Amino acid sequence: MQKIARKTAYAKCPKFPHSDNKSETFYFPKSYKDGALIVGAKTPIAYSKELSVAFSKLITNLGIENLVFLGDTKTPWLNQENDYKPVKEALQYLKDSNVGGRFNGALKIEAIDLEKFMRHLFWLSRCNATLPEFYFMDEKQNILGTVCKYGFVHISILNKKTDENFKKALKASGFKYLQDTKCYDLFGKTGATKNRQTKA
């Protein structure tokens, strides 16, 4: 895991989405095609594992060596504690990787480490409501995406050439496209996300 200062990350990958708190505007780059990906697991624990494996396969199949992850606001990665075990483990994973309490920059993750990283990111995105939306992008800025609180991997293909390669890579990944027009809770009937907390 390589830490990258926030300004440096935007300089290298200017297509990263971001919020402007002063003017309340949100920047998102123009995309060629958008979609949401899911896996078939029926419980959150199983889903986190299956998603991370599928994601690692997808990125490897695309021939991408690493991804850069960055929040869309200046809120630090470790801004919120959570007593739910998978989230505590995710936070400890970041701490063990020398991510400090005030760090709000980007994390560069090698393809070989994506399976572990995505499993932890799933729980942070699902359960810690005060964290920003963490987007990922390859350094050539061909794909952009995020894992939402429901566990859907939202993907934006940023050019036609990448779209052609993406179709082939997706088939062998274990992902499938979400057919609905909006996200929803896969694991409950109330619409509430279990163990999701706001900062006290």
Side-chain angles (χ1 to χ4, degrees):
M1 183 184 297
Q2 178 185 344
K3 295 187 293 184
I4 305 172
R6 193 171 184 84
K7 288 185 178 180
T8 303
Y10 280 121
K12 291 184 175 181
C13 300
K15 292 184 179 179
F16 260 121
H18 59 272
S19 299
D20 183 344
N21 294 328
K22 293 182 179 180
S23 61
E24 297 184 351
T25 60
F26 181 75
Y27 164 77
F28 196 92
K30 183 179 180 180
S31 62
Y32 178 78
K33 186 177 291 184
D34 301 296
L37 310 176
I38 59 173
V39 292
K42 302 301 182 182
T43 67
I45 296 289
Y47 192 95
S48 69
K49 296 177 181 179
E50 190 174 327
L51 178 145
S52 60
V53 170
F55 187 82
S56 180
K57 287 182 179 179
L58 176 63
I59 299 305
T60 299
N61 292 343
L62 284 169
I64 296 173
E65 296 181 355
N66 55 67
L67 289 176
V68 179
F69 292 77
L70 181 65
D72 64 348
T73 70
K74 294 181 179 180
T75 302
W77 285 82
L78 299 177
N79 183 63
Q80 180 183 343
E81 296 292 333
N82 190 309
D83 57 7
Y84 184 46
K85 183 179 178 180
V87 188
K88 289 178 67 175
E89 291 176 349
L91 293 169
Q92 190 61 50
Y93 166 74
L94 292 178
K95 293 173 184 177
D96 290 343
S97 300
N98 296 316
V99 175
R102 294 187 294 177
F103 180 74
N104 63 2
L107 298 176
K108 182 177 177 180
I109 310 297
E110 299 299 320
I112 194 172
D113 298 317
L114 281 173
E115 183 178 332
K116 177 185 286 187
F117 182 84
M118 287 300 292
R119 187 170 69 251
H120 291 308
L121 184 63
F122 168 86
W123 290 110
L124 291 176
S125 299
R126 178 175 175 81
C127 296
N128 279 10
T130 62
L131 293 182
E133 192 84 16
F134 291 112
Y135 286 89
F136 59 83
M137 184 186 292
D138 64 302
E139 292 183 297
K140 294 182 179 179
Q141 300 187 102
N142 291 316
I143 66 166
L144 170 69
T146 186
V147 181
C148 74
K149 67 177 182 178
Y150 298 117
F152 300 107
V153 179
H154 296 265
I155 288 281
S156 293
I157 309 299
L158 302 182
N159 55 66
K160 183 177 181 180
K161 182 179 180 180
T162 301
D163 183 53
E164 295 171 357
N165 295 333
F166 189 83
K167 291 175 183 177
K168 298 175 184 178
L170 186 66
K171 290 181 180 179
S173 70
F175 276 123
K176 62 180 180 179
Y177 273 110
L178 172 69
Q179 299 302 315
D180 295 276
T181 57
K182 62 180 181 179
C183 302
Y184 58 92
D185 184 15
L186 291 164
F187 313 111
K189 297 180 180 180
T190 64
T193 303
K194 190 176 180 180
N195 297 304
R196 187 169 175 83
Q197 301 176 12
T198 56
K199 190 174 182 180

